[in-house]
Amino acid sequence: MVKTYVFGHKSPDSDSITSSIVMANLENELGNTDAKAYRLGNINKETEFILNFLDIDAPELLDDVVDGANVILVDHNSPAESVDNLENANILKVVDHHKLALATSYPLFLRFEPVGCTETILFKLYGENEVEISKEIATLMLSAIISDTLLLKSPTTTEDDKIAVEKLAKIAEVDAEEYGLEMLKAGTDLSSFTIDEILALDAKQIDFKDVKSIVNQVNTADINDVMAMKDDLEEGINKVIDKENLDLFMLLITDIVNSNSQVIALGKNAELVEKAYNVKLDNNTVLLEGVVSRKKQVVPIMTESA
């Protein structure tokens, strides 16, 4: 059987990494025994916590794929966020909770749902295919849903996510609230990262109409801890703006305890943040109260205002 590469997006988060492992396992259970999980970048502290909790290794790093390689995409479907040479690969399946950005000349399996996390969809797929969810797989699924929904507090959270968390926590034999908070806090430790690494941890190019932008989001238990690095962060952001010829770079520093985000906005179109949220930037920054979701509370609002 030909190898199948299963992977999430570049600058991988917990959903991207765990979904790759979980999807590869599902493929194995369904008979595709050559399906294997990969990653397209370094894992973050939160994902490291999850893998260490389960005592499992991170997937192998993948730089590109050869022409005609069989691939399965999870937690993304945009070629800009995917592996090099994706355009010449054979995409078998896509499981994602983001908007459709992929076009192919051939039919394939697509499963998109407007839920808070890809793992919520995979939870359904296990049930639909009558594949038993092990304690390890349940913990991976649970961890990602908690991560993507910020313990079910994000506006991206759906009833399906809540149901999945309740059932998965029982299989994983953990207290979702207690475990989740410990996991989220582990992910806020930026002490071992360089400024460049922080600015690339969860960076996505999201153009607001004709405003070429990158929106990066980092979670923290204390906004002041990250803002203490503001001068260095701004220096790094300006380097990215020059290198990528950006109109705007938004860094969202999201407080996982109080559900707010401090934003640092730089670039010639930084005033778009002021217009979108009816706020005033003070020294390139402002607190956006109640804003925690890039997908629901940044992208549509910024795009509409552009």
Side-chain angles (χ1 to χ4, degrees):
M1 189 174 289
V2 179
K3 179 186 289 188
T4 300
Y5 299 82
V6 185
F7 50 84
H9 53 75
K10 293 179 178 178
S11 300
D13 57 8
S14 294
D15 188 20
S16 177
I17 295 294
T18 63
S19 289
S20 301
I21 299 171
V22 170
M23 184 68 191
N25 180 76
L26 178 59
E27 284 290 301
N28 293 166
E29 292 290 338
L30 295 177
N32 183 3
T33 55
D34 286 313
K36 181 180 176 181
Y38 291 85
R39 58 184 169 91
L40 303 189
N42 295 328
I43 62 172
N44 60 33
K45 289 287 186 180
E46 180 186 275
T47 310
E48 183 179 14
F49 173 90
I50 298 165
L51 299 180
N52 286 343
F53 181 82
L54 292 168
D55 194 25
I56 60 177
D57 294 330
E60 182 181 337
L61 183 64
L62 183 68
D63 294 319
D64 57 19
V65 291
V66 300
D67 292 356
N70 287 335
V71 303
I72 295 176
L73 310 182
V74 291
D75 194 34
H76 80 297
N77 72 100
S78 170
E81 295 183 272
S82 199
V83 73
D84 291 346
N85 201 39
L86 180 70
E87 66 274 12
N88 294 315
N90 179 33
I91 303 173
L92 302 179
K93 299 180 180 182
V94 182
V95 180
D96 195 8
H97 67 133
H98 298 98
K99 68 178 182 179
L100 179 63
L102 183 70
T104 67
S105 59
Y106 51 87
L108 65 154
F109 176 91
L110 296 176
R111 183 67 175 262
F112 285 66
E113 292 191 26
V115 291
C117 182
T118 306
E119 290 285 23
T120 299
I121 307 172
L122 289 172
F123 171 73
K124 294 183 182 183
L125 286 174
Y126 270 71
E128 291 164 11
N129 286 281
E130 298 182 343
V131 175
E132 183 179 355
I133 298 174
S134 68
K135 183 176 180 180
E136 179 176 280
I137 292 296
T139 305
L140 289 168
M141 289 181 173
L142 175 68
S143 300
I145 300 171
I146 288 172
S147 173
D148 265 15
T149 66
L150 292 178
L151 264 173
L152 303 178
K153 294 178 183 176
S154 169
T156 60
T157 306
T158 67
E159 284 302 313
D160 287 348
D161 299 305
K162 295 176 182 178
I163 291 169
V165 164
E166 182 180 359
K167 293 182 177 180
L168 290 168
K170 291 179 181 178
I171 300 172
E173 298 178 358
V174 298
D175 182 294
E177 186 78 22
E178 182 180 325
Y179 167 79
L181 190 57
E182 185 179 1
M183 182 197 79
L184 290 172
K185 286 185 175 179
T188 68
D189 179 14
L190 302 176
S191 59
S192 64
F193 291 101
T194 66
I195 293 297
D196 290 345
E197 287 171 338
I198 292 172
L199 295 176
L201 275 176
D202 192 13
K204 294 183 183 292
Q205 182 173 330
I206 306 171
D207 296 343
F208 306 121
K209 295 178 182 175
D210 60 350
V211 179
K212 186 178 181 182
S213 309
I214 283 180
V215 182
N216 187 20
Q217 185 171 27
V218 296
N219 292 336
T220 182
D222 188 342
I223 287 175
N224 291 328
D225 288 346
V226 184
M227 287 298 288
M229 300 183 283
K230 182 173 180 290
D231 290 345
D232 291 334
L233 288 168
E234 289 189 349
E235 182 179 349
I237 288 170
N238 281 321
K239 289 179 181 177
V240 176
I241 289 173
D242 291 340
K243 180 181 178 182
E244 303 295 336
N245 193 27
L246 299 176
D247 300 312
L248 171 65
F249 190 113
M250 288 180 69
L251 173 61
L252 292 174
I253 304 165
T254 300
D255 182 342
I256 62 171
V257 178
N258 298 302
S259 299
N260 298 314
S261 290
Q262 188 81 28
V263 63
I264 298 175
L266 292 172
K268 64 183 181 182
N269 287 95
E271 73 281 353
L272 182 58
V273 174
E274 297 181 326
K275 179 182 177 183
Y277 295 97
N278 192 27
V279 294
K280 186 69 177 176
L281 290 170
D282 181 9
N283 196 21
N284 306 319
T285 186
V286 68
L287 180 68
L288 300 180
E289 296 186 3
V291 173
V292 296
S293 170
R294 174 170 47 194
K295 183 166 67 174
K296 281 205 170 183
Q297 295 174 298
V298 176
V299 174
I301 295 172
M302 291 288 290
T303 302
E304 183 180 348
S305 300

